[in-house]
Amino acid sequence: MRKLLIVDDHRLFVDGIRFLIEHATDYEILGVLHTGQEVIPFLARNPVSVLLLDIDLPDISGFDLAKTIRHLYPDTKILALSMHSDAHSINRMIEAGAAGYCIKSAGRDELFAAIQTVSEGGSYLPVDYLTQSDARKDDAVRPLLTEREAQIVALITEGNSTPKIADKLFLSARTVETHRKNIYRKLGIHTNIELTLYARKNNLI
């Protein structure tokens, strides 16, 4: 049976989480702590599989505590729990060593999914964060290409040859080749296959 530790100073919230986990999962809760300074001594005596960690503790930053835990007990998976849903907090906690991040306003099923994913060695991030992250990637890529270059990317990924692209866009073959070389240079790729894979990955097509 996988063992959990909950570290959060909001007692009503913790009581609710503990009740849900104990009555709806097969995880065992070894303890509930309300301050950060209690965590390291507890882990020294009680190895746990997953640590549910609030990032806003009264005595120590959850970010700093996560770094310490990651260093001393690398086998303990950290699932951050927080009301903060901003990308900065999420990124900072993941960098500190957390394997997952769950917003406190999430539903029961999402919390259970996060715990299971992290306990099995995976990583868990909020859906909204992943969506925003994809959007930021798109925004970072799209400005690199001009409108004409974006048109040519779409045509190349459809399998059109340089002469066909030139014919469709009323350009010379030499102009299309110049655009293609510029696209390759901007995106750091070297072949049409790489371009197609890159375009699909970054939603350019």
Side-chain angles (χ1 to χ4, degrees), residues 3-7 18 28-51 65 69 73 76:
K3 297 175 172 53
L4 305 183
L5 170 65
I6 303 175
V7 183
R18 182 169 193 166
E28 177 186 357
I29 297 180
L30 282 189
V32 173
L33 306 178
H34 303 295
T35 64
Q37 66 182 358
E38 301 173 275
V39 176
I40 301 304
F42 184 94
L43 291 177
R45 302 187 306 271
N46 307 280
V48 300
S49 302
V50 180
L51 168 61
L65 183 55
I69 295 168
Y73 303 100
T76 297

Side-chain angles (χ1 to χ4, degrees), residues 33-162:
L33 306 178
H34 303 295
T35 64
Q37 66 182 358
E38 301 173 275
V39 176
I40 301 304
F42 184 94
L43 291 177
R45 302 187 306 271
N46 307 280
V48 300
S49 302
V50 180
L51 168 61
L52 277 60
L53 177 63
D54 185 11
I55 67 175
D56 292 319
L57 296 171
D59 59 339
I60 185 173
S61 163
F63 303 111
D64 293 335
L65 183 55
K67 290 179 182 178
T68 301
I69 295 168
R70 187 64 176 170
H71 175 68
L72 296 177
Y73 303 100
D75 292 335
T76 297
K77 308 300 182 183
I78 301 172
L79 174 61
L81 295 176
S82 178
M83 290 300 298
H84 302 295
S85 60
D86 60 286
H88 175 72
S89 296
I90 296 174
N91 290 336
R92 189 177 172 191
M93 199 62 187
I94 298 302
E95 290 171 0
Y101 194 105
C102 190
I103 310 299
K104 285 188 175 181
S105 59
R108 182 188 71 170
D109 291 343
E110 184 173 347
L111 174 63
F112 291 168
I115 294 173
Q116 181 175 353
T117 299
V118 168
S119 70
E120 293 176 350
S123 59
Y124 187 91
L125 294 171
V127 174
D128 288 346
Y129 170 83
L130 294 174
T131 302
Q132 294 170 10
S133 179
D134 288 342
R136 287 193 296 272
K137 288 178 182 177
D138 289 345
D139 290 341
V141 171
R142 292 184 187 280
L144 292 173
L145 303 179
T146 66
E147 183 176 351
R148 176 65 79 188
E149 288 169 345
Q151 289 178 322
I152 291 174
V153 167
L155 291 170
I156 290 175
T157 57
E158 290 173 0
N160 292 286
S161 64
T162 294

Side-chain angles (χ1 to χ4, degrees), residues 11-26:
R11 295 174 185 268
L12 285 176
F13 174 79
V14 171
D15 288 344
I17 293 296
R18 182 169 193 166
F19 178 85
L20 288 173
I21 293 175
E22 289 181 336
H23 289 79
T25 75
D26 59 356

